[in-house]
Amino acid sequence: MRALHHFSLQPQSRRIRIQLREKKIDVDLVAERPWERREELLRLNPAGETPVLVEDGGLTVVGAQVIGEYLEEVYPESPLLGGDARARAETRRLVAWFDDKFEREVTRNLLHEKMLRRLYGQGGPDSGAIRAGKANIRIHLDYIAWLTERRNWLAGAQFSLADIAAAAQLSVIDYMGDVDWESFPEAKHWYARVKSRPSFRPILADTWPGTQPPPHYADLDF
Amino acid sequence: MRALHHFSLQPQSRRIRIQLREKKIDVDLVAERPWERREELLRLNPAGETPVLVEDGGLTVVGAQVIGEYLEEVYPESPLLGGDARARAETRRLVAWFDDKFEREVTRNLLHEKMLRRLYGQGGPDSGAIRAGKANIRIHLDYIAWLTERRNWLAGAQFSLADIAAAAQLSVIDYMGDVDWESFPEAKHWYARVKSRPSFRPILADTWPGTQPPPHYADLDF
């Protein structure tokens, strides 16, 4: 059976799980704790990082960006990249925006400082980084509002990998209670639409030992 | 005329210039200094980053990863991604390896500390980061050696975007004289083969004001 090695708090792992569900591709989930540097994970991916997809025939596909493209190529039903080169360029631009820029400016400052540093044995959180993450997220929520005022979904008329990448990042920050949804009603409205998709439900049901998300986290009418 | 907004010291800009040449696509080069946050660049890419490709019809494609995919889709001659899904997954894995992991572990520690911090007005270099970059590059040169002992080019039998991404990163580090080629003869041999391609020549001819690469930098028989 096809297997996805993932880390449930990692936005890139979440976005592949959502994409697989959207495309109705069955997969066994293998939970990884990347900081443990488990031998099997290192064998599959010398970088020691999740997500890693292992196909039935043994083909190993490494990293969210690569798995994302691979799934669109090999399983063309329910396409999530866009219909022409222009649409695909816009979808990919926004996927990179959330995978790279949001990750660097928000997720590393909040998720990494508040939860991952301890797991990776790197000591306690840096309060300056947390403040920066909380300031930076406002710019991204404004950008989501700007986009959704002009388009049905982030990259255009159709639900796409851009919505998945953005919602996967935000879901992790929301798990920690760090999204001020009330100040960004358009972004909240867009996120509620993503949340209500069946593909998103398993993500919202995940919890991490010793932590608890805020009450609105899994609530579809938050 | 098609235009590429680039920053000549940035590996991602270099890799798109090489890809364009490999595919024999003509382009006007527009030199950017991203730290100046020029209004036209911000209008083309709200992230303010290079590279940005602007097609004749006005279509704007942003970021090396997105431009790389776009060019392979729209200009299928001289394909650089690989012939089937397995080959493309391997090429993309290695492109991400060099774009993300090499960039984070080596280029940010060397290029950013030694040259970019000053340009971005962030003060002088951090000697600890420079030491880390010089230690990390050895792991990557070993990995290139390991790959080229098993394959003709990094991702397989054919020259691909993986070779371009790796050589673009290394060319910037080599410009600063920070690659100990003599200790890594297999990596050196592979790099000499990339360097000798006509697509690489314009990169090697570039210099940055107030700096000078070591004598071997542009030498094809270094």
Side-chain angles (χ1 to χ4, degrees), chain A residues 65 73 88 92 104, chain B residues 49 65 73 88 92 104:
Chain A
Q65 190 257 313
E73 263 180 31
R88 282 195 289 280
R92 288 183 177 123
R104 192 169 65 235
Chain B
E49 289 159 8
Q65 191 258 313
E73 264 181 29
R88 282 195 288 279
R92 288 183 176 122
R104 191 170 65 233

Side-chain angles (χ1 to χ4, degrees), chain A residues 2 23 25 53 55 70-79:
Chain A
R2 182 183 299 116
K23 298 179 90 72
I25 301 169
L53 178 73
E55 286 279 27
Y70 169 82
L71 293 175
E72 292 306 311
E73 263 180 31
V74 176
Y75 304 98
E77 270 183 72
S78 307

Side-chain angles (χ1 to χ4, degrees), chain A residues 63-199:
Chain A
Q65 190 257 313
V66 184
I67 300 172
E69 295 284 345
Y70 169 82
L71 293 175
E72 292 306 311
E73 263 180 31
V74 176
Y75 304 98
E77 270 183 72
S78 307
L80 293 162
L81 258 178
D84 59 17
R86 179 184 293 265
R88 282 195 289 280
E90 180 63 358
T91 302
R92 288 183 177 123
R93 179 184 76 83
L94 287 166
V95 169
W97 179 287
F98 289 100
D99 263 17
D100 302 342
K101 193 172 165 67
F102 187 102
E103 166 94 16
R104 192 169 65 235
E105 294 175 352
V106 179
T107 308
R108 254 178 242 171
N109 284 325
L110 295 175
L111 175 70
H112 190 81
E113 292 299 329
K114 290 173 112 172
M115 298 184 63
L116 301 191
R117 271 174 86 98
R118 215 168 1 128
L119 298 172
Y120 277 86
Q122 296 170 341
D126 170 349
S127 60
I130 292 175
R131 270 197 305 279
K134 288 186 177 176
N136 292 341
I137 194 175
R138 307 182 72 83
I139 296 162
H140 290 277
L141 292 168
D142 265 338
Y143 189 44
I144 288 171
W146 188 89
L147 289 168
T148 54
E149 277 165 22
R150 284 155 182 80
R151 303 166 172 181
N152 188 27
W153 294 99
L154 293 188
Q158 306 298 327
F159 180 80
S160 78
L161 289 188
D163 300 285
I164 296 176
Q169 291 282 349
L170 277 164
S171 72
V172 170
I173 310 300
D174 197 33
Y175 184 89
M176 298 183 296
D178 284 331
V179 187
D180 172 17
W181 291 115
E182 298 318 313
S183 301
F184 298 90
E186 297 92 345
K188 181 182 174 182
H189 179 64
W190 160 83
Y191 187 60
R193 287 161 66 213
V194 180
K195 246 172 128 170
S196 70
R197 297 177 79 89
S199 63

Side-chain angles (χ1 to χ4, degrees), chain B:
Chain B
M1 172 73 162
R2 182 184 298 115
L4 180 74
H5 295 253
H6 78 117
F7 166 39
S8 69
L9 287 177
Q10 184 197 32
Q12 285 82 355
S13 288
R14 291 185 165 204
R15 89 163 167 91
I16 298 304
R17 286 170 63 194
I18 299 166
Q19 184 182 8
L20 286 162
R21 283 256 168 178
E22 286 285 338
K23 299 179 89 71
K24 302 194 172 40
I25 301 170
D26 285 331
V27 70
D28 279 341
L29 290 177
V30 182
E32 298 284 354
R33 296 164 164 251
W35 57 93
E36 293 177 351
R37 299 187 66 73
R38 200 166 69 88
E39 210 170 310
E40 191 195 343
L41 180 61
L42 285 168
R43 196 173 48 70
L44 293 170
N45 178 12
E49 289 159 8
T50 49
V52 178
L53 179 73
V54 183
E55 287 279 26
D56 275 340
L59 172 61
T60 302
V61 191
V62 160
Q65 191 258 313
V66 184
I67 300 171
E69 295 284 344
Y70 169 83
L71 293 176
E72 294 305 312
E73 264 181 29
V74 175
Y75 304 97
E77 270 184 70
S78 307
L80 293 163
L81 257 178
D84 58 17
R86 180 185 292 266
R88 282 195 288 279
E90 180 63 356
T91 303
R92 288 183 176 122
R93 178 184 77 84
L94 287 167
V95 169
W97 179 287
F98 289 100
D99 264 17
D100 302 340
K101 192 172 164 67
F102 186 102
E103 167 94 16
R104 191 170 65 233
E105 295 175 351
V106 179
T107 308
R108 252 178 241 169
N109 283 325
L110 295 175
L111 176 69
H112 190 82
E113 292 299 328
K114 291 172 111 175
M115 297 184 65
L116 301 191
R117 271 175 86 99
R118 215 168 358 126
L119 297 171
Y120 277 87
Q122 296 168 341
D126 169 350
S127 61
I130 292 174
R131 269 195 307 278
K134 287 185 177 176
N136 292 341
I137 193 174
R138 307 182 72 83
I139 296 162
H140 290 277
L141 291 167
D142 264 338
Y143 189 44
I144 288 171
W146 187 90
L147 290 168
T148 54
E149 277 165 21
R150 286 156 181 81
R151 304 165 172 182
N152 189 28
W153 294 100
L154 294 189
Q158 306 298 326
F159 180 81
S160 78
L161 289 188
D163 300 285
I164 297 176
Q169 291 282 349
L170 277 164
S171 73
V172 169
I173 310 300
D174 197 34
Y175 184 89
M176 299 184 295
D178 284 332
V179 187
D180 172 17
W181 291 115
E182 299 318 312
S183 301
F184 299 90
E186 297 92 345
K188 180 183 174 180
H189 179 64
W190 160 83
Y191 187 59
R193 288 161 65 213
V194 180
K195 246 172 129 169
S196 71
R197 298 178 78 89
S199 63
F200 214 74
R201 304 279 165 83
I203 302 295
L204 297 175
D206 262 8
T207 56
W208 188 254
T211 65
Q212 200 177 294
H216 74 260
Y217 172 73
D219 181 358
L220 300 188
D221 295 313
F222 70 124

